[in-house]
Amino acid sequence: MSLDDLKEKGRRAKSERLVARSGADAKPTLKTVAELTGLAVTTVSRALADAPQIALETRQRVRQVAADIGYLPDRAAQRLRTGRTNVISLVLDPHEEILGYATSMINGLTEALRGTAYHLVITPHFSDTPQIEPVRHIMRNRMADGIVFTRTEPGDERVKLLMENNFPFICHGRTELATAHPYVDYDNYSFAYQAAKKLIAAGASKLSIILPPERFTFAHHLKHGFMTAVREEGVGFEIAKGVTLDSKSDDIRDYVFRRMGEPERPDGYICGGEVSALAVMASAYDHSLELGRDIRLVAKQTSGLFDQIRPRVETIYEDLTEAGFLMGKLLLKRIGGPAPIHELQALQTV
Amino acid sequence: MSLDDLKEKGRRAKSERLVARSGADAKPTLKTVAELTGLAVTTVSRALADAPQIALETRQRVRQVAADIGYLPDRAAQRLRTGRTNVISLVLDPHEEILGYATSMINGLTEALRGTAYHLVITPHFSDTPQIEPVRHIMRNRMADGIVFTRTEPGDERVKLLMENNFPFICHGRTELATAHPYVDYDNYSFAYQAAKKLIAAGASKLSIILPPERFTFAHHLKHGFMTAVREEGVGFEIAKGVTLDSKSDDIRDYVFRRMGEPERPDGYICGGEVSALAVMASAYDHSLELGRDIRLVAKQTSGLFDQIRPRVETIYEDLTEAGFLMGKLLLKRIGGPAPIHELQALQTV
DNA sequence: ATTGCGATTTATAACGATATAATTACGGTC
DNA sequence: GACCGTAATTATATCGTTATAAATCGCAAT
């Protein structure tokens, strides 16, 4: 086909388009583009997919026309035909009400998904059903191309299930399974270790740490880092009993308040979350104990919140937005092709 | 479980999948149910839809078989055929970093959507594109059956667009347009009014309020409530200049701190958000001003955060989770059939 | 027996995309 | 000019569902 022919074809297409404009306000489909270009639907499809068998010239022309009329492929049709959903599911545990936890993750994820065809679907996991249910459901019914979840456990059933079925996923936190799996984690060991060292260096003689529920892997990491530090320093310590970072904040405060009134009370607290840190501060306040003198505190900071808290508290930062972003990117890499797992792991430093 | 065990399990899963191609383990479709019941696909479809033309006995039998084999309709196919997406889009502004704002909304929304066929998709609205873009995109390309958005403006373009096109939506906050539209709002007028009255009753003589950016309707409501109260009481007042609730929290603190060092400083602050309230508290602390004596504060509380803040701060509660829940329910009602708009409006009391 | 009718069920055709197989066009070779 | 191979395009079938139209059945009325 000569250049002139192509130009002619283009002109024809253009005028037809003007005619069609008035006729159909309807949503443009491949058929629309096909009619405008005078090509077959199949050709248009392949042209837009940049298939090498389609002449470069044609590809460009199709691309142009598609852009002109604002053609966007129908997700449902693509999904039905290809089996790909273009959906990433974020399984959220409503217990994670730790202020901006979910928000930060979501912001990071959407940023990672930006410019891709992927949509982010929030799948709640209601407390009256087993943790694994939403994951199984998404996988079995192909509701998404990839799953993101959090609060990973040492022998996490979700990880097992997804690995067995070779289903793309990424989780925040990691298991203790022998098999490697994709994850993004924060170095909670170092967090607790360094927090303890800081407290001790500041003069604390008996440390206390409030841990997450024991079923989560990061509870073990925190505990391990904590124990290593206190043993190295030979300092007194205790682990908060009866409350966890998941407890209602009032319960945490009640516990800490009570403990502060007892003999041999701890004088250094490590808090893995912002709310629990505030609860410790409130307890100290209610006991008229002065922070930084009677009681010391190192908290994990995941938002800008503690910049406004007085008296100033020593914090160590965990970037959850970045974690979300990383998870998104790694998951996309995994979905694109089966990337080697060692490339799908990331440990954020303290 | 050992590495080899996992690998073996993986292999098994893989081969099962291959064998299952046409077997009973394949994802069940209408066709599967049709074959099992000896009925036509059409009949099964209608039976599951509880069409009255299908014999009751048949309906029950189909329902039973479908349940037995765990049949679930394919969303993509349904969407393609019916045009309904079974998706609700929540358009999120990443600027809404007001701690748990988004999380609360999402929790409420998922609770409202629970048990329905609707999925919640998070659509971010990036600051480098016009606010209306994601909404227009969702509407034009039928990416969702309904839209939820927040931070409504007096002449909100999104509301106009969606109303004009009769597209189901609900927003948090309301416009000042002549046309009624669905919304869920909080009574910010009363909030500011009552907050001011509380401060005055407690002895404050010059009030200050930090407002949201002026383009949002609720900024006007807050201002109006505030102004009404201070005029009624004939007390001094000012409106924070140069900072809004959307400002970086450090900037808010810097502003308040500076203002507190100047003559004729306000002695009563009204904060529409938790972070700004903390910034005021931090400023007071940094000036060694005592809260409740030198400076008073009434804050809007949307989480349990302030239960842990000391000294205790007077707050007025806004339930964002409930707002999300309400929005979900009202939107579903609107989607189900065109409910009269007056039934789709809710004003949460202070 | 034939017709008609309501009650059920079924066949067919789409929705919009893509994978696969088939077709056309074109230049070069003998 | 017939033949071939490559490049480019097109036809057909299909994903799983539902809307529409058509068909079947049993039974009563004629």
Side-chain angles (χ1 to χ4, degrees), chain A residues 10 21 43 59 63 71 108 111 113 117 124 150 170 177 180 183 214 249 259 266 306 321 325 349:
Chain A
R21 173 78 54 90
T43 311
R59 272 183 268 168
R63 200 164 279 279
Y71 166 79
E111 188 60 38
L113 265 37
T150 59
I170 191 148
L177 298 171
Y183 68 77
E214 200 174 1
S249 52
R259 193 70 194 85
F306 266 72
T321 304
F325 183 80
T349 56

Side-chain angles (χ1 to χ4, degrees), chain A residues 103 114 120 128 179 250 308, chain B residues 6 103 114 122 128 250 308:
Chain A
T103 313
R114 183 177 186 172
L120 181 65
D128 53 6
T179 328
D250 283 348
Q308 311 307 325
Chain B
L6 274 171
T103 313
R114 183 175 186 173
I122 303 295
D128 53 6
D250 283 348
Q308 312 307 326

Side-chain angles (χ1 to χ4, degrees), chain B residues 106-146:
Chain B
I106 290 172
N107 282 343
L109 276 169
T110 55
E111 188 60 39
L113 265 36
R114 183 175 186 173
T116 74
Y118 287 92
H119 282 180
L120 181 65
V121 169
I122 303 295
T123 308
H125 133 229
F126 297 105
S127 41
D128 53 6
T129 63
Q131 182 197 42
I132 202 171
E133 254 336 295
V135 169
R136 171 177 284 139
H137 181 258
I138 294 165
M139 193 189 81
R140 287 230 293 233
N141 300 99
R142 293 285 134 80
M143 307 299 284
D145 297 337

Side-chain angles (χ1 to χ4, degrees), chain A residues 186-197:
Chain A
Y186 173 78
D187 189 350
N188 281 292
Y189 173 90
S190 296
F191 165 80
Y193 182 86
Q194 291 188 20
K197 291 282 182 165

Side-chain angles (χ1 to χ4, degrees), chain B residues 139-160:
Chain B
M139 193 189 81
R140 287 230 293 233
N141 300 99
R142 293 285 134 80
M143 307 299 284
D145 297 337
I147 301 184
V148 182
F149 61 90
T150 59
R151 317 188 113 214
T152 306
E153 305 180 1
D156 205 295
E157 296 293 333
R158 299 168 297 183
V159 173
K160 283 186 198 163

